[in-house]
Amino acid sequence: MGATWDGGGVHFRLFSAHAEAVDLCLFERADGVFSRRVPLRRGSGGIWSVHVAGVGPGQLYGYRVNGPFAPQEGHRFNPSKLLVDPYARAITGEPRWSDALLGYPPTSRRPDLHVDGTDSAAAMPKCVVVDPAFDWQGTQPPRRPWRDTVIYEAHVGGLTRLCPHVPEAHRGTYLGLASPFIVEHLLSLGVTALELMPVHQFASERHLMERGRRNYWGYSPLGFFAPHAGYATGGDGRQVVEWKTMVRELHRAGIEVLVDVVLNHSPEGGVDGPYLSLRGVDNRSYYRLDRRELGRYVDYTGCGNTLDLRRGPMLRLALDSLRYWVQEMHVDGFRFDLAPVLGRDPGDEFSAAARFFEAMAADPILSQVKRIAEPWDVGPGGYRLGQFPEPWGEWNDRFRDTARAFWRGEAKTSVTADLATRLAGSEDVFGPKGPLRSVHYVASHDGFTLADLVSYEARHNHDNGEGNRDGHRHNLSRNWGVEGPTDDPGIQARRARAQRNLLATVALTQGVPMLGHGDELGRSQGGNNNAYCQDNPTSWLDWSRADDGLLDFVRGLFALRRRIPALRRGAFLRGRRGKGGPDVLWLGADGEEMTPRSWSEPGLVAFSMLLLPEPGDPGLWVLVNGGGGGVAFRGPEAVRSGRPARVLDTGSAALGAVGPADVDPCRVEGLSAVAVTFGGAINGD
């Protein structure tokens, strides 16, 4: 499918089951200078095709598709609209918003009565024929096991746009991510997988463009095969080469590349939205329509439409796209936005046995890569944490919310007990699947940055132009005395400690940890917790304001995680003695084992987790104090007799083996955590 160059010309193939005619439009320039029109021939299975001799890489093209305009039957064909090839390997340009992109007068309330005659060619992006050849120089996928994975979520543009250590021409691009400085930075953090926010060619919504904003996050995919041209030095096909160059260099360093994919909706919106691609190619085949009224779109995404993964055409496109990104673009896995949409098959209910999930599991290519779900959508019953099939990982917001609540000083027994469950890998959520299904984090692109989480108690999204009504209200944040920036050293110290507490909780938990980009440097968005439209310094990482102390702390923290095998188990921790003894002991400050009654004691704010090692490995004693005052913990015998070393203290930012530790008692200051190693030697990296 798509446009395939054979050395002497290009094969063009397009699926449209209900079209009556399809024309290929060739262009000399992206601004719409027209070259010629070539009709496609219909073949079996709704495949339209033509071979055009004498054209090759760099050729610009689009389609016009004719057929019935009968919204009541699910058809919205309009040959006056130039359309993007759903299988285009590269796309150049962005939609220039005007009424020419709409299929009927925007003032009309009866779209079924109108098929306008306007031409959208000049306002539309153009598809680009590409040469797929690339020298991978022998690099291979790192294939990191889940237990050793540390994920770093990043925005391609925002991570390097202001980085002085990246060549100016490469800032904000794929090549910027491949720069030696960025690669070394990721390695110094212990990152093994770079999870990129959407990189499929995407479009900014009209309402954003009209108020001087643009879609920064990219959750509005126009081309499911095309890397976004805005992250390349040009849109003439070099975006494909530069993407591959980035992946090659990251793989050379042993870093996997995961891609955040949006297979739940398109930027064409609802019934009054624009014609960009799928709506005009074959609306009924690609979109999920209301069974009772085919002129209406089902919307489980909040974006006006839902892609129909229950049936062949869209399911095939989705799987073809994913295979292309693995085989041709060498990605190592995917994070799926609004993933319950993928499992609403065949009706409205979610099923872990949905066709999309089963197809991925049966596919010899896709079954071998990492799969991560954002386990919620906006449809009925849309919260599905813990319900995705093996071996999917899932973003664990239960961990996020519990860690935030505990470390902001919510001294509630229920929160304290829940934190222990999260540290052990969230068995109550993932059951027999094991802790490696939990991707745990405290901050991501969606919500406050880590620095803002400890600096603001209210969202400050006024610049988004939505009256500060957008974004989460329930952030579980705390400003520690002043809303926003402050010069008060006491508040600054409390905020720094709070960040260390949250980061330590991520690193010392069973499962797969994830960091948000720039959180290791103290990145702030000025209290904006929904910066989806802020393609400006609000969102860009300002490297000149990096918190070097925090950076050193994060580096040491994840170095500690790498050296403690007991933190990376593939099975849930077991506290009761069995054939091989326990994996973990949960202890109170008095050194006694916790009981169901002690976990429910009013005012419980402190406990410790004793990770017992395999022979020859070090063990780890993690002490947690969520109260306002210091607590003296009595050290258990295994620690006292095992050459204890205090390797972490979030209260003082101390990190690293600093010699023998005083563990009987071991004092932990208020709202702080301490970690002590014992037993076997801690090996280096």
Side-chain angles (χ1 to χ4, degrees):
M1 300 295 293
T4 307
W5 180 52
D6 63 8
V10 177
H11 292 274
F12 294 91
R13 303 179 80 231
L14 180 76
F15 169 82
S16 182
H18 302 99
E20 297 170 352
V22 176
D23 286 339
L24 169 70
C25 298
L26 302 178
F27 295 88
E28 295 179 6
R29 297 202 311 265
D31 60 6
V33 175
F34 183 65
S35 175
R36 55 177 164 149
R37 182 181 298 200
V38 182
L40 276 68
R41 297 179 297 274
R42 180 169 189 144
S44 61
I47 305 297
W48 299 74
S49 63
V50 69
H51 180 268
V52 181
V55 299
Q59 175 65 56
L60 305 178
Y61 73 99
Y63 288 110
R64 296 185 188 277
V65 184
N66 202 352
F69 186 85
Q72 69 279 6
E73 299 174 13
H75 301 310
R76 295 181 178 273
F77 292 100
N78 187 337
S80 72
K81 305 303 178 186
L82 184 73
L83 303 171
V84 166
D85 179 1
Y87 278 76
R89 294 337 191 242
I91 299 170
T92 188
E94 294 185 81
R96 297 203 303 273
W97 291 105
S98 70
D99 291 348
L101 298 184
L102 304 176
Y104 49 89
T107 57
S108 171
R109 298 292 79 183
R110 295 288 305 280
D112 55 311
L113 299 181
H114 300 275
V115 182
D116 65 43
T118 57
D119 192 293
S120 61
M124 278 293 293
K126 306 300 183 295
C127 307
V128 186
V129 177
V130 302
D131 180 354
F134 183 77
D135 183 5
W136 289 99
Q137 299 178 359
T139 55
Q140 296 294 323
R143 299 193 182 281
R144 295 271 187 176
W146 276 110
R147 67 189 307 153
D148 296 330
T149 297
V150 176
I151 297 173
Y152 187 88
E153 188 199 27
H155 186 280
V156 174
L159 183 59
T160 65
R161 189 71 59 86
L162 300 178
C163 185
H165 308 290
V166 170
E168 186 172 358
H170 295 169
R171 294 174 192 169
T173 71
Y174 305 121
L175 296 179
L177 288 186
S179 68
F181 175 82
I182 295 298
V183 171
E184 179 54 37
H185 177 74
L186 296 174
L187 291 175
S188 77
L189 295 172
V191 168
T192 69
L194 185 61
E195 181 181 300
L196 297 177
M197 292 172 65
V199 295
H200 290 165
Q201 183 74 27
F202 59 85
S204 291
E205 293 80 354
R206 185 175 188 174
H207 69 92
L208 291 178
M209 301 292 284
E210 289 178 345
R211 62 174 187 255
R213 293 284 181 258
R214 55 191 306 114
N215 190 317
Y216 171 69
W217 285 355
Y219 291 92
S220 189
L222 177 58
F224 296 97
F225 293 76
H228 187 61
Y231 300 148
T233 60
D236 55 1
R238 75 184 76 176
Q239 59 265 55
V240 177
V241 175
E242 293 179 7
W243 167 271
K244 292 179 178 180
T245 301
M246 176 198 73
V247 174
R248 182 184 67 197
E249 298 311 305
L250 289 169
H251 279 182
R252 197 191 306 278
I255 299 173
E256 293 183 313
V257 178
L258 312 179
V259 173
D260 195 336
V261 294
V262 184
L263 292 174
N264 54 72
H265 78 282
S266 85
E268 293 183 313
V271 295
D272 56 350
Y275 277 69
L276 300 175
S277 182
L278 300 177
R279 170 172 286 150
V281 171
D282 195 340
N283 186 70
R284 185 163 175 170
S285 290
Y286 286 114
Y287 286 114
R288 189 164 180 150
L289 306 178
D290 191 312
R291 291 188 297 269
R292 295 163 296 182
E293 187 178 347
L294 294 178
R296 297 174 60 87
Y297 295 99
V298 171
D299 183 9
Y300 294 142
T301 67
C303 300
N305 61 62
T306 303
L307 299 175
D308 193 352
L309 290 165
R310 301 169 301 172
R311 300 183 293 133
M314 188 60 221
L315 179 62
R316 183 169 61 245
L317 185 151
L319 296 172
D320 286 349
S321 167
L322 297 175
R323 277 190 294 267
Y324 174 80
W325 282 91
V326 174
Q327 293 180 289
E328 293 293 330
M329 309 296 266
H330 286 209
V331 306
D332 303 283
F334 306 95
R335 181 264 193 189
F336 292 89
D337 178 65
L338 301 183
V341 167
L342 312 177
R344 292 184 178 274
D345 172 32
D348 292 337
E349 295 299 318
F350 173 86
S351 170
R355 291 184 66 188
F356 178 81
F357 299 143
E358 292 188 337
M360 286 200 74
D363 190 285
I365 302 299
L366 300 180
S367 62
Q368 302 305 305
V369 302
K370 288 183 169 71
R371 286 151 279 171
I372 301 171
E374 180 186 42
W376 48 81
D377 66 19
V378 301
Y383 187 74
R384 295 290 172 173
L385 179 65
Q387 299 178 39
F388 283 77
E390 284 274 35
W392 283 60
E394 301 179 40
W395 273 26
N396 188 351
D397 65 322
R398 288 278 300 277
F399 175 93
R400 177 198 66 194
D401 292 350
T402 298
R404 289 182 177 188
F406 183 84
W407 288 119
R408 75 171 183 170
E410 284 192 4
K412 297 178 180 178
T413 298
S414 60
V415 175
T416 304
D418 198 40
L419 181 65
T421 303
R422 304 301 142 229
L423 289 171
S426 297
E427 186 172 9
D428 60 330
V429 173
F430 297 101
K433 298 175 184 177
L436 297 179
R437 302 285 70 83
S438 172
V439 176
H440 54 268
Y441 63 102
V442 290
S444 67
H445 74 273
D446 192 3
F448 281 138
T449 67
L450 178 65
D452 288 352
L453 187 65
V454 301
S455 302
Y456 296 90
E457 295 186 4
R459 60 193 179 190
H460 296 267
N461 301 351
H462 302 279
D463 286 347
N464 293 354
E466 300 179 38
N468 203 35
R469 294 185 299 273
D470 60 307
H472 297 299
R473 291 184 178 180
H474 186 60
N475 294 287
L476 294 168
S477 59
R478 182 175 179 181
N479 64 24
W480 299 95
V482 173
E483 187 76 353
T486 179
D487 294 327
D488 186 310
I491 294 176
Q492 290 178 339
R494 290 192 287 273
R495 289 177 176 178
R497 181 184 59 198
Q499 290 182 79
R500 293 192 296 268
N501 286 333
L502 290 163
L503 289 165
T505 308
V506 170
L508 303 181
T509 293
Q510 302 293 326
V512 179
M514 185 182 83
L515 296 170
H517 96 230
D519 282 346
E520 76 281 9
L521 301 171
R523 182 176 77 92
S524 172
Q525 293 180 163
N528 191 323
N529 75 346
N530 189 36
Y532 76 102
C533 60
Q534 300 293 332
D535 189 4
N536 54 51
T538 296
S539 295
W540 303 340
L541 174 55
D542 186 351
W543 291 82
S544 70
R545 300 175 64 87
D547 184 335
D548 292 333
L550 183 61
L551 175 59
D552 288 342
F553 180 83
V554 176
R555 287 170 171 165
L557 187 60
F558 282 90
L560 174 64
R561 179 181 175 86
R562 290 194 299 275
R563 296 166 180 168
I564 307 292
L567 286 171
R568 307 191 311 278
R569 290 190 168 107
F572 288 113
L573 300 174
R574 298 301 176 191
R576 295 179 180 174
R577 294 189 179 275
K579 183 176 180 181
D583 298 319
V584 63
L585 295 176
W586 301 97
L587 308 172
D590 58 2
E592 298 296 320
E593 284 197 54
M594 300 286 287
T595 65
R597 180 175 181 178
S598 56
W599 281 118
S600 61
E601 286 288 341
L604 177 68
V605 294
F607 66 92
S608 71
M609 175 179 70
L610 184 67
L611 296 178
L612 298 167
E614 297 295 329
D617 290 334
L620 190 69
W621 187 32
V622 180
L623 304 89
V624 174
N625 179 11
V631 173
F633 286 80
R634 183 174 182 204
E637 173 59 26
V639 176
R640 295 198 305 270
S641 62
R643 303 184 307 281
R646 192 175 178 117
V647 294
L648 167 71
D649 186 342
T650 64
S652 63
L655 191 63
V658 291
D662 185 359
V663 297
D664 197 11
C666 182
R667 184 170 178 80
V668 181
E669 299 303 324
L671 285 172
S672 298
V674 165
V676 176
T677 59
F678 63 94
I682 301 180
N683 297 321
D685 292 342

